[in-house]
Amino acid sequence: MSKLIHNYTFWLFIVACLMLFSHLDVIEVNIMEARNFITAREMANNNHWILTTINDMPRYEKPPLPTWLTAISGIIFGFDCLFGMRLPVVFITLLLVFGTFKLSEKLGLSKKQSFHNGLILITSFYIYFAGRDNQWDMYTHSFMMICILFLWEVLNEQKKLLFNAIMAGLFFGFSFLSKGPISVYALLLPFLIAYGFTYKFQLKNKKLYLILVVVLGIIIGLSWPLYVKWADPATYLKVTKIESSRWGNYNTRPFYYYWSFFTQSGIWTVPAFIALLYPYLKNKVSNLKAYQFTLIWTLASVVLLSIVPEKKSRYLLPVLIPMALNTGFYIEYLINNFKNISLKKEKGIIYFAFGLIGIICIVIPVGIFVKVKNDIAGFEIWFLGLTLSLFGIGYVLFTNLRNKNFVKVFYAVIAVQVAVVVFGIPFTKLILKNPDYASAKAIRDSEKSLAVKTYELNSFTPEIIWDYGYSMPILLNNETNKLNLPLENKFGLLVTDIDSINSIKELKNYTLNKVSNIDLNHIPKDSKKHNIRLTRTYYIVSKK
């Protein structure tokens, strides 16, 4: 039992599972996730495993590996089981966490510091957020992290070179099959830059193995797009042109857009920022070369991402991986030296950063109670668990700050994140509440009773198609700008509020009867964030 208590791998696994598995099916499905789920469902139902589709239309924008894994999970657990649909990304995130833990050890860091680095990573906001949200980003970077782990062995060891090169190549290919060359650019290239600056490349007798890594990775990574290009060249060319154009003119942001990247770590924002201050920390770390490596890796990733005109906050995910390792050096310094820090300013920053977390432990339960006190019935256990855990953690945090026992302060911060996820997520059902919420599943009952097939007027919303459960043909032909009306004398039709359906000339010979509405928003209509894209009016259209 004592061995288990001091087993860092075991406790890292427990914390990671609590952060990832807890209430996995509570948060609503977003647009990116819905696209992945629809494609996975059509893979299984329509046998579209290679020539992937969404709403029965070609979808070649992204490689299929994450969707393959999601489809398999859907087959096992059912496509109506949101928990099961998100399981693949959870396991992939666990792969990232333990890959980072192992690489930390390869850097020459102690098992304890590597354990702390793993804890920092899994409790960094966008890591656990992306680890619970089945998008492609986590797959491509997790696979690349395992590639880097084996590549490290190739660069630094003489044993098992062929095995390590093959494994690095395989995971390189898996990463490419998840989101193209994104992680090659945003995670692997910065790693190589940092490695070259700090450890220097010693490539004697290893060049062939490195070539094997690249060749094997490219063969695997390009296998799917080359097949699609051969099987459906016209559509593939069209999709490629659209995707390539977005890099330069879609969602463009200025070069400095990512300069607040350290805030994406959430609760570790202040420590992450301080760890980036090389002049301050360089003489305080136990392994200067490893610190230089993680610092350059982090900054190189930010710079490379900043060069690309298209920018989104979620693209910073690869930066958080080396940044967790880098932040760990500052945490290690505080654990070993907090009692000996004499500078008032230095101590003041520490008391402010971690004292603020202690205050948050009090504010969160109070804030939730004020927000939902009239609707708390049925959520009492969650509220009690959240309140007792955060108040207790806050007490431990303040007590050990006063006693200058920083290792307990650190574990208390980890416990804050775990408590918020385990006890706090259920309250999203109360805080995000739309009294007019109407599922797309309801119109399936109308279809059965009226014996009609339903169509979309001019576009589809992935969340609605996913919720509806089946593909839905679109009547508007974008090339001719005309409606291709169904042959049936009566059919269902989904229309957005901004469509002026009565002015559509093709429907003048039809009678339109409004049946119901769809509203997948989880916030009320009077909110500014209420999204009209998630709403539809459902009509039964009959020939006169």
Coordinates of all heavy atoms in Angstrom, one line a residue, residues 280-347:
Y280 N 15.6 35.9 -14.7 CA 15.2 35.7 -13.3 C 15.4 34.2 -12.9 O 15.9 34.0 -11.8 CB 13.7 36.1 -13.1 CG 13.1 35.6 -11.8 CD1 13.4 36.2 -10.6 CD2 12.2 34.5 -11.8 CE1 12.9 35.7 -9.4 CE2 11.7 34.0 -10.6 CZ 12.0 34.6 -9.4 OH 11.5 34.2 -8.3
L281 N 15.1 33.3 -13.7 CA 15.0 31.9 -13.3 C 16.3 31.1 -13.6 O 16.5 30.0 -13.1 CB 13.8 31.2 -13.9 CG 13.2 30.0 -13.2 CD1 12.9 30.3 -11.8 CD2 12.0 29.4 -13.9
K282 N 17.1 31.6 -14.5 CA 18.2 30.8 -15.0 C 19.2 30.3 -13.9 O 19.8 29.2 -14.0 CB 19.0 31.5 -16.1 CG 19.7 32.8 -15.6 CD 20.5 33.4 -16.7 CE 21.3 34.7 -16.2 NZ 22.1 35.3 -17.2
N283 N 19.4 31.1 -12.9 CA 20.3 30.7 -11.8 C 19.6 29.9 -10.7 O 20.2 29.6 -9.6 CB 21.0 31.9 -11.2 CG 21.9 32.5 -12.3 OD1 22.6 31.8 -13.1 ND2 21.9 33.9 -12.3
K284 N 18.3 29.7 -10.8 CA 17.5 29.1 -9.8 C 17.1 27.6 -10.1 O 16.5 27.0 -9.2 CB 16.3 29.9 -9.5 CG 16.6 31.3 -9.0 CD 15.3 32.2 -8.8 CE 15.6 33.5 -8.2 NZ 16.4 34.4 -9.0
V285 N 17.3 27.2 -11.3 CA 16.8 25.9 -11.7 C 17.9 24.8 -11.5 O 19.1 25.1 -11.5 CB 16.4 25.8 -13.2 CG1 15.2 26.8 -13.4 CG2 17.5 26.2 -14.1
S286 N 17.5 23.6 -11.3 CA 18.4 22.5 -11.1 C 19.1 22.0 -12.3 O 20.1 21.4 -12.3 CB 17.7 21.4 -10.3 OG 16.7 20.9 -11.1
N287 N 18.4 22.1 -13.5 CA 18.9 21.6 -14.7 C 18.8 22.7 -15.8 O 17.7 22.8 -16.4 CB 18.1 20.4 -15.2 CG 18.7 19.6 -16.3 OD1 19.3 20.3 -17.2 ND2 18.5 18.3 -16.3
L288 N 19.8 23.5 -15.9 CA 19.8 24.7 -16.8 C 19.5 24.3 -18.2 O 18.7 25.0 -18.9 CB 21.0 25.5 -16.6 CG 21.1 26.8 -17.5 CD1 20.0 27.8 -17.2 CD2 22.5 27.5 -17.3
K289 N 20.2 23.3 -18.7 CA 20.1 23.0 -20.1 C 18.7 22.5 -20.5 O 18.1 22.9 -21.5 CB 21.1 21.9 -20.5 CG 21.1 21.5 -22.0 CD 22.3 20.6 -22.3 CE 23.5 21.5 -22.4 NZ 24.7 20.7 -23.0
A290 N 18.1 21.7 -19.6 CA 16.7 21.3 -19.8 C 15.7 22.5 -19.8 O 14.8 22.5 -20.5 CB 16.3 20.2 -18.8
Y291 N 16.0 23.4 -18.9 CA 15.2 24.6 -18.8 C 15.3 25.5 -20.1 O 14.3 25.9 -20.6 CB 15.6 25.5 -17.6 CG 14.9 26.8 -17.5 CD1 13.6 27.0 -17.5 CD2 15.7 28.0 -17.5 CE1 13.0 28.3 -17.5 CE2 15.2 29.2 -17.5 CZ 13.8 29.4 -17.5 OH 13.2 30.6 -17.5
Q292 N 16.5 25.6 -20.5 CA 16.7 26.3 -21.8 C 16.0 25.7 -22.9 O 15.4 26.3 -23.8 CB 18.2 26.4 -22.1 CG 19.0 27.3 -21.2 CD 20.5 27.2 -21.4 OE1 21.0 26.2 -21.9 NE2 21.2 28.2 -21.0
F293 N 16.0 24.3 -22.9 CA 15.4 23.6 -24.0 C 13.9 23.8 -24.0 O 13.3 24.1 -25.0 CB 15.7 22.1 -23.8 CG 14.8 21.2 -24.7 CD1 15.0 21.1 -26.0 CD2 13.9 20.4 -24.1 CE1 14.3 20.3 -26.8 CE2 13.1 19.5 -24.9 CZ 13.3 19.5 -26.2
T294 N 13.2 23.7 -22.8 CA 11.7 23.8 -22.8 C 11.3 25.3 -23.1 O 10.3 25.5 -23.7 CB 11.2 23.4 -21.4 OG1 11.8 24.2 -20.4 CG2 11.5 21.9 -21.1
L295 N 12.2 26.2 -22.6 CA 11.9 27.6 -22.9 C 11.9 27.9 -24.4 O 11.0 28.6 -25.0 CB 12.9 28.5 -22.1 CG 12.7 30.0 -22.3 CD1 11.3 30.5 -21.8 CD2 13.8 30.8 -21.7
I296 N 13.0 27.5 -25.1 CA 13.1 27.7 -26.5 C 12.0 27.0 -27.3 O 11.4 27.5 -28.2 CB 14.5 27.3 -27.0 CG1 15.6 28.2 -26.4 CG2 14.6 27.4 -28.5 CD1 17.0 27.7 -26.6
W297 N 11.7 25.8 -26.8 CA 10.6 25.0 -27.5 C 9.3 25.8 -27.4 O 8.6 25.9 -28.4 CB 10.5 23.6 -26.8 CG 9.6 22.6 -27.4 CD1 8.9 22.8 -28.6 CD2 9.3 21.3 -27.0 NE1 8.2 21.7 -28.9 CE2 8.4 20.8 -27.9 CE3 9.7 20.6 -25.8 CZ2 7.9 19.5 -27.7 CZ3 9.2 19.3 -25.7 CH2 8.3 18.8 -26.6
T298 N 9.0 26.3 -26.2 CA 7.8 27.0 -26.0 C 7.7 28.3 -26.9 O 6.7 28.5 -27.7 CB 7.6 27.4 -24.6 OG1 7.6 26.3 -23.7 CG2 6.3 28.2 -24.3
L299 N 8.8 29.1 -26.9 CA 8.8 30.3 -27.6 C 8.9 30.1 -29.1 O 8.2 30.9 -29.9 CB 10.0 31.2 -27.1 CG 9.9 31.6 -25.7 CD1 11.2 32.4 -25.3 CD2 8.7 32.4 -25.4
A300 N 9.6 29.1 -29.5 CA 9.7 28.8 -31.0 C 8.3 28.4 -31.5 O 7.9 28.8 -32.6 CB 10.7 27.7 -31.2
S301 N 7.5 27.7 -30.7 CA 6.2 27.3 -31.1 C 5.3 28.5 -31.3 O 4.5 28.6 -32.2 CB 5.6 26.3 -30.1 OG 4.3 25.9 -30.5
V302 N 5.4 29.4 -30.3 CA 4.6 30.6 -30.4 C 4.9 31.5 -31.6 O 4.1 32.0 -32.3 CB 4.8 31.5 -29.1 CG1 4.0 32.8 -29.2 CG2 4.3 30.7 -27.9
V303 N 6.2 31.6 -31.8 CA 6.7 32.4 -33.0 C 6.2 31.8 -34.3 O 5.7 32.5 -35.2 CB 8.2 32.6 -33.0 CG1 8.7 33.3 -34.3 CG2 8.6 33.4 -31.8
L304 N 6.4 30.5 -34.5 CA 6.0 29.9 -35.7 C 4.5 30.0 -35.9 O 4.0 30.2 -37.1 CB 6.4 28.4 -35.7 CG 7.9 28.2 -35.8 CD1 8.2 26.7 -35.7 CD2 8.4 28.7 -37.2
L305 N 3.7 29.8 -34.9 CA 2.2 30.0 -35.0 C 1.9 31.4 -35.3 O 0.9 31.7 -36.0 CB 1.5 29.5 -33.7 CG 1.5 28.0 -33.5 CD1 1.0 27.7 -32.0 CD2 0.6 27.3 -34.5
S306 N 2.6 32.4 -34.8 CA 2.3 33.8 -35.0 C 2.6 34.2 -36.5 O 2.0 35.2 -37.0 CB 3.2 34.7 -34.1 OG 2.9 34.4 -32.7
I307 N 3.5 33.5 -37.1 CA 3.8 33.8 -38.5 C 2.6 33.5 -39.5 O 2.4 34.3 -40.4 CB 5.0 33.0 -39.0 CG1 6.3 33.5 -38.3 CG2 5.2 33.2 -40.5 CD1 7.5 32.6 -38.5
V308 N 1.8 32.5 -39.1 CA 0.7 32.1 -39.9 C -0.5 33.1 -39.8 O -0.8 33.4 -38.6 CB 0.2 30.7 -39.5 CG1 -1.0 30.3 -40.4 CG2 1.3 29.7 -39.7
P309 N -1.0 33.7 -40.8 CA -2.0 34.7 -40.7 C -3.3 34.2 -40.0 O -3.9 35.0 -39.2 CB -2.3 35.1 -42.1 CG -1.1 34.8 -42.9 CD -0.6 33.6 -42.2
E310 N -3.7 33.0 -40.3 CA -4.9 32.5 -39.6 C -4.6 32.1 -38.2 O -3.7 31.3 -37.9 CB -5.4 31.2 -40.4 CG -6.7 30.7 -39.8 CD -7.1 29.3 -40.4 OE1 -6.4 28.8 -41.3 OE2 -8.2 28.8 -40.0
K311 N -5.4 32.6 -37.3 CA -5.1 32.4 -35.8 C -6.4 32.1 -35.1 O -7.4 32.8 -35.3 CB -4.4 33.6 -35.2 CG -3.0 33.8 -35.8 CD -2.3 35.0 -35.2 CE -0.9 35.2 -35.7 NZ -0.9 35.6 -37.1
K312 N -6.4 31.2 -34.2 CA -7.5 30.9 -33.3 C -6.9 30.5 -31.9 O -5.8 29.9 -31.9 CB -8.4 29.8 -33.8 CG -9.1 30.1 -35.1 CD -9.9 28.9 -35.5 CE -10.7 29.2 -36.8 NZ -11.4 28.0 -37.3
S313 N -7.6 30.8 -30.8 CA -7.0 30.4 -29.5 C -6.7 29.0 -29.4 O -5.7 28.6 -28.7 CB -8.0 30.9 -28.4 OG -8.2 32.3 -28.4
R314 N -7.6 28.1 -29.9 CA -7.3 26.7 -29.8 C -6.1 26.2 -30.5 O -5.6 25.1 -30.2 CB -8.6 25.9 -30.3 CG -8.9 26.0 -31.7 CD -10.2 25.3 -32.0 NE -10.6 25.5 -33.4 CZ -10.3 24.7 -34.4 NH1 -9.4 23.7 -34.2 NH2 -10.7 24.9 -35.6
Y315 N -5.5 27.0 -31.4 CA -4.3 26.6 -32.1 C -3.1 26.7 -31.2 O -2.0 26.2 -31.5 CB -4.1 27.5 -33.3 CG -5.0 27.3 -34.5 CD1 -5.0 28.2 -35.5 CD2 -5.9 26.3 -34.5 CE1 -5.9 28.0 -36.6 CE2 -6.8 26.1 -35.5 CZ -6.8 27.0 -36.6 OH -7.7 26.8 -37.6
L316 N -3.3 27.2 -30.0 CA -2.2 27.3 -29.0 C -2.0 26.0 -28.2 O -1.1 26.0 -27.4 CB -2.5 28.5 -28.0 CG -2.2 29.9 -28.5 CD1 -2.7 30.9 -27.5 CD2 -0.7 30.1 -28.8
L317 N -2.8 25.0 -28.5 CA -2.7 23.8 -27.7 C -1.3 23.2 -27.7 O -0.7 22.8 -26.7 CB -3.7 22.8 -28.3 CG -3.6 21.4 -27.7 CD1 -4.0 21.4 -26.2 CD2 -4.6 20.4 -28.4
P318 N -0.5 23.2 -28.9 CA 0.8 22.6 -28.8 C 1.8 23.4 -28.0 O 2.8 22.9 -27.5 CB 1.3 22.6 -30.3 CG 0.4 23.7 -31.0 CD -0.9 23.6 -30.2
V319 N 1.5 24.7 -27.8 CA 2.4 25.6 -27.0 C 2.3 25.1 -25.5 O 3.3 25.2 -24.8 CB 2.0 27.0 -27.1 CG1 2.9 27.9 -26.2 CG2 2.1 27.5 -28.6
L320 N 1.1 24.7 -25.1 CA 0.9 24.4 -23.7 C 1.7 23.2 -23.2 O 1.9 23.0 -22.0 CB -0.6 24.2 -23.4 CG -1.5 25.4 -23.7 CD1 -2.9 25.1 -23.3 CD2 -1.0 26.6 -22.9
I321 N 2.1 22.3 -24.2 CA 2.8 21.1 -23.8 C 4.2 21.4 -23.3 O 4.6 21.1 -22.2 CB 2.8 20.1 -25.0 CG1 1.4 19.8 -25.4 CG2 3.6 18.9 -24.7 CD1 1.3 19.1 -26.8
P322 N 5.1 22.1 -24.1 CA 6.4 22.4 -23.6 C 6.3 23.5 -22.4 O 7.2 23.5 -21.5 CB 7.2 23.0 -24.8 CG 6.1 23.4 -25.7 CD 5.0 22.5 -25.5
M323 N 5.3 24.3 -22.5 CA 5.1 25.3 -21.4 C 4.8 24.7 -20.1 O 5.2 25.2 -19.0 CB 4.0 26.3 -21.8 CG 4.0 27.5 -20.9 SD 2.9 28.8 -21.4 CE 1.3 28.1 -21.1
A324 N 4.1 23.5 -20.0 CA 3.9 22.8 -18.8 C 5.3 22.4 -18.2 O 5.5 22.5 -17.0 CB 3.0 21.6 -19.0
L325 N 6.1 21.8 -19.1 CA 7.5 21.5 -18.6 C 8.3 22.7 -18.1 O 9.0 22.6 -17.1 CB 8.2 20.8 -19.8 CG 7.6 19.5 -20.3 CD1 8.4 19.1 -21.6 CD2 7.7 18.4 -19.3
N326 N 8.1 23.8 -18.8 CA 8.8 25.0 -18.5 C 8.3 25.5 -17.1 O 9.1 26.0 -16.3 CB 8.7 26.0 -19.6 CG 9.7 27.1 -19.5 OD1 10.9 26.9 -19.7 ND2 9.2 28.3 -19.2
T327 N 7.0 25.5 -17.0 CA 6.4 26.0 -15.7 C 6.9 25.2 -14.5 O 7.1 25.7 -13.4 CB 4.9 26.0 -15.8 OG1 4.5 26.8 -16.9 CG2 4.3 26.6 -14.6
G328 N 7.1 23.9 -14.8 CA 7.5 23.0 -13.7 C 8.9 23.4 -13.1 O 9.1 23.1 -11.9
F329 N 9.7 24.1 -13.8 CA 11.0 24.5 -13.2 C 10.8 25.6 -12.2 O 11.5 25.6 -11.1 CB 11.9 25.1 -14.3 CG 12.5 24.0 -15.2 CD1 12.0 23.7 -16.5 CD2 13.6 23.2 -14.7 CE1 12.6 22.8 -17.3 CE2 14.1 22.2 -15.5 CZ 13.6 22.0 -16.8
Y330 N 9.8 26.5 -12.4 CA 9.5 27.5 -11.4 C 8.9 26.9 -10.2 O 9.2 27.2 -9.0 CB 8.6 28.6 -12.0 CG 8.2 29.7 -11.0 CD1 9.2 30.4 -10.4 CD2 6.9 29.9 -10.8 CE1 8.8 31.4 -9.5 CE2 6.5 31.0 -9.9 CZ 7.5 31.7 -9.2 OH 7.2 32.7 -8.4
I331 N 8.0 25.9 -10.4 CA 7.3 25.2 -9.3 C 8.4 24.5 -8.5 O 8.3 24.5 -7.2 CB 6.2 24.3 -9.8 CG1 5.1 25.0 -10.5 CG2 5.7 23.4 -8.7 CD1 4.4 26.0 -9.7
E332 N 9.3 23.8 -9.2 CA 10.4 23.1 -8.4 C 11.2 24.1 -7.6 O 11.5 23.8 -6.4 CB 11.3 22.4 -9.5 CG 12.4 21.6 -8.8 CD 13.6 21.5 -9.7 OE1 13.9 22.4 -10.5 OE2 14.4 20.6 -9.5
Y333 N 11.5 25.2 -8.1 CA 12.2 26.2 -7.4 C 11.5 26.6 -6.1 O 12.1 26.8 -5.0 CB 12.5 27.4 -8.3 CG 12.9 28.7 -7.5 CD1 14.1 28.8 -6.8 CD2 12.0 29.8 -7.5 CE1 14.4 29.9 -6.1 CE2 12.3 30.9 -6.7 CZ 13.6 31.0 -6.1 OH 13.9 32.1 -5.4
L334 N 10.2 26.9 -6.2 CA 9.4 27.3 -5.1 C 9.3 26.2 -4.0 O 9.3 26.5 -2.8 CB 8.0 27.7 -5.5 CG 7.9 29.0 -6.4 CD1 6.5 29.3 -6.8 CD2 8.5 30.2 -5.7
I335 N 9.1 25.0 -4.5 CA 9.1 23.8 -3.6 C 10.4 23.7 -2.7 O 10.3 23.5 -1.5 CB 8.8 22.5 -4.3 CG1 7.3 22.5 -4.8 CG2 9.0 21.3 -3.4 CD1 7.0 21.3 -5.7
N336 N 11.5 23.9 -3.4 CA 12.8 23.7 -2.7 C 13.3 25.0 -2.0 O 14.1 24.9 -1.0 CB 13.8 23.3 -3.7 CG 13.6 22.0 -4.4 OD1 12.9 21.1 -3.7 ND2 14.0 21.8 -5.6
N337 N 12.7 26.2 -2.3 CA 13.4 27.4 -1.8 C 12.4 28.4 -1.2 O 12.8 29.5 -0.8 CB 14.2 28.1 -2.9 CG 15.3 27.2 -3.4 OD1 16.4 27.1 -2.8 ND2 15.1 26.6 -4.6
F338 N 11.1 28.1 -1.2 CA 10.1 29.1 -0.7 C 10.4 29.6 0.7 O 10.3 30.8 0.9 CB 8.7 28.5 -0.8 CG 7.6 29.4 -0.5 CD1 7.6 30.7 -1.0 CD2 6.5 29.1 0.2 CE1 6.6 31.6 -0.8 CE2 5.5 30.0 0.5 CZ 5.5 31.2 0.0
K339 N 10.9 28.8 1.5 CA 11.2 29.2 2.9 C 12.3 30.2 3.0 O 12.5 30.9 3.9 CB 11.4 28.0 3.8 CG 10.2 27.2 4.1 CD 10.5 26.0 5.0 CE 9.2 25.2 5.3 NZ 9.5 24.1 6.2
N340 N 13.2 30.1 2.0 CA 14.4 30.9 2.0 C 14.4 32.2 1.2 O 15.3 32.9 1.1 CB 15.6 30.1 1.5 CG 15.8 28.8 2.3 OD1 15.7 28.8 3.5 ND2 16.1 27.7 1.6
I341 N 13.2 32.4 0.5 CA 13.1 33.7 -0.3 C 13.0 34.9 0.7 O 12.1 34.9 1.6 CB 11.8 33.6 -1.2 CG1 12.0 32.4 -2.2 CG2 11.6 34.9 -1.9 CD1 10.8 32.2 -3.1
S342 N 13.8 35.8 0.4 CA 13.9 37.0 1.3 C 13.3 38.3 0.7 O 12.9 39.2 1.4 CB 15.3 37.2 1.8 OG 16.2 37.4 0.7
L343 N 13.4 38.4 -0.6 CA 12.9 39.6 -1.3 C 11.4 39.7 -1.2 O 10.7 38.8 -1.5 CB 13.3 39.5 -2.8 CG 14.8 39.7 -3.1 CD1 15.0 39.5 -4.6 CD2 15.4 41.0 -2.7
K344 N 11.0 40.9 -0.7 CA 9.6 41.1 -0.5 C 8.8 41.1 -1.7 O 7.7 40.6 -1.8 CB 9.4 42.5 0.3 CG 9.9 42.5 1.7 CD 9.6 43.8 2.4 CE 10.0 43.8 3.8 NZ 9.7 45.0 4.5
K345 N 9.4 41.7 -2.8 CA 8.6 41.7 -4.1 C 8.4 40.3 -4.6 O 7.3 39.9 -5.1 CB 9.4 42.5 -5.1 CG 9.3 44.0 -4.9 CD 10.0 44.8 -6.0 CE 9.9 46.3 -5.8 NZ 10.6 47.0 -6.8
E346 N 9.4 39.5 -4.5 CA 9.3 38.1 -5.0 C 8.3 37.3 -4.2 O 7.5 36.6 -4.7 CB 10.7 37.4 -4.9 CG 10.8 36.0 -5.5 CD 12.2 35.4 -5.5 OE1 13.1 36.1 -4.9 OE2 12.3 34.3 -6.0
K347 N 8.3 37.5 -2.9 CA 7.4 36.8 -2.0 C 6.0 37.3 -2.2 O 5.0 36.6 -2.2 CB 7.8 36.9 -0.5 CG 9.0 36.2 -0.2 CD 9.5 36.5 1.3 CE 8.5 36.0 2.3 NZ 9.0 36.2 3.7

